Every structure is written in structure tokens, then in C-alpha cells.
Amino acid sequence: MKHLIAPSVLAADFGNLERDIEMINETEADWFHVDIMDGNFVPNISFGADIVKVIKKTAKKPLDVHLMVEKPERYIESFRDAGADNISVHYEACTHLHRTLEQIKKTGALAGVALNPHTPVALLEDVLELCDIVVIMSVNPGFGGQKFIYQSLLKVKALSEMITIKNLPVLIEVDGGVGLQNAESLLQAGARVLVAGNSVFASDNPHQTVYHLKNLGIHTLYA
Ligand code: DX5
Ligand code: ZN
């Protein structure tokens, strides 16, 4: 399977959100990555389900919703109703992660778990079967435009090995500081979904940047 590119709406121009979404619609991007921040789990506040509804109206690609909120189980159904196709919750924000993953699956959305940079992938051992997606955070969540944390690359490799041993169809997504400078190493390590915020929206030619991210020369390695 060819890897997927998920531009992060957080880096779009909120004053021209519809225009920016339409612009991404015309690229080779696969998903829209949608960051929800509650000012509690992370220091920043972004937006809620009503804005996701607005994004859904214009978006022609699935919405990959990343919940950076405490007790995300309170909001799963409302984000699904707002148009989320994938819903990822943070390992660190869930007391009953197994139950929350089942809750997501019950809505029909793909279920994801995101791991903060300090959280080892080994902690997923007993829930990996329930995950459609694991999001390796390669920055501390809360803000776009941060520097990629190198250790994340090793986590992608370790997780990829776990997935291979268990023979599971889990997608490894990497989120934070991803761009043309590190995309290829991440794919070689086993990443299958690359979230790209500033590297796409702040580039001179977002359309071309998505094209380059999507067409890195390594797909033959895992075709
Ligand atoms: C960080 C968010 C990321 C962010 C990525 O808390 O989860 O999705 O939008 O932005 P860049 O690619 O600019 O680091
Ligand atoms: Zn995110």
C-alpha cells in the first residue's frame, strides 16, 4: 500500500478555511488531519465539533480527527456525528483505553491511539488488536510548527516490529514536525501515514509539497 499524506488543518488560514480546504482537495493528499485541543490535556485550545462540521462540508477526503482532550470518551459520538472518519485518542488521556477504543469502533470510525513522546510503544501490547491506527507524536502535542523529536523514528521502528510480529493491519501515523527532510526515513522505519502541517501550508507551493511527500521514491520497498 502506498503511504498516506494527511495535511493538518491546524496550519491552515482560519480566516480562509474553505479556500484552504478546497486547495487541499485538489492535491494528492489522502486525509485531512484535524487537531482538537481542549486547553487542559494540552496547553492550547483549537476548536470543537461545530467547526469539524464546517470542514466536513467542504472536504472531499476523510477527516482524521486527533483528540488532544482529557476524557475523550465524552466526545466520541459528537465528533463522529460531525463527520470524523478516524478518531484517535491519547493513551495518556484514557483511564479505560480498551473500552474507549471499542466505543470508537462502535460508531463505525477507524480507531486510533496517539502516544506522547515520553510514552513507550510497548504499552500498547494489550490493545494493539483494537487499533486501526497508532499515532506516534513526534513533538509534544499542543502546537504546530515544532521541531521533530528524533527518538520518534526509533519508536516507529519498534512499533513496526511489534505490528509485524503480531501480523496486524495497524497503520502507523507520525504527527509533528514532518516534512520532506524526514519523510523518507519515517517511511523506511514503517510509517504509513504522514501528518504535515506547516511543511505543507507554509510552503511556497503546497500543491507541489504534497505531490513530493506523496511521491517519495521508496514505495517499491513495501509494494
Ligand atoms: C500538534 C498537532 C499536529 C500539528 C502538526 O499538537 O497534533 O497535528 O498540527 O503540525 P506540524 O506539521 O506543523 O508540526
Ligand atoms: Zn495532530
Side-chain angles (χ1 to χ4, degrees), residues 120-213:
V121 294
L123 290 173
L124 291 178
E125 182 81 34
D126 295 321
V127 286
L128 208 52
E129 282 82 359
L130 280 175
C131 300
D132 296 299
I133 302 166
V134 173
V135 185
I136 297 294
M137 291 307 302
S138 38
V139 297
N140 284 294
F143 304 93
Q146 301 183 78
K147 192 171 169 280
F148 180 83
I149 297 170
Y150 177 77
Q151 173 72 14
S152 323
L153 186 64
L154 309 180
K155 287 174 75 173
V156 171
K157 268 192 197 142
L159 178 60
S160 179
E161 279 162 23
M162 266 172 83
I163 290 170
T164 307
I165 290 167
K166 289 177 178 281
N167 194 22
L168 292 169
V170 182
L171 292 171
I172 303 180
E173 176 170 338
V174 185
D175 184 12
V178 175
L180 286 166
Q181 73 288 355
N182 51 19
E184 192 132 359
S185 330
L186 288 166
L187 295 174
Q188 272 163 354
R192 287 296 169 266
V193 185
L194 302 177
V195 175
N198 278 264
S199 65
V200 167
F201 285 99
S203 74
D204 291 340
N205 188 338
H207 201 282
Q208 204 174 61
T209 304
V210 173
Y211 175 84
H212 287 313
L213 285 168

Side-chain angles (χ1 to χ4, degrees), residues 3 16-17 22 26 41 60-61 70 76 78 92 96 101 122 145 149 155 174 178 181 188 194 197 214 219:
H3 63 275
N16 292 290
L17 196 51
E22 274 166 359
E26 299 312 312
F41 179 69
K60 290 191 191 141
K61 301 164 191 287
E70 290 289 357
I76 304 297
S78 59
E92 305 82 6
H96 301 288
L101 288 169
I149 297 170
K155 287 174 75 173
V174 185
V178 175
Q181 73 288 355
Q188 272 163 354
L194 302 177
K214 184 74 188 172
H219 338 297

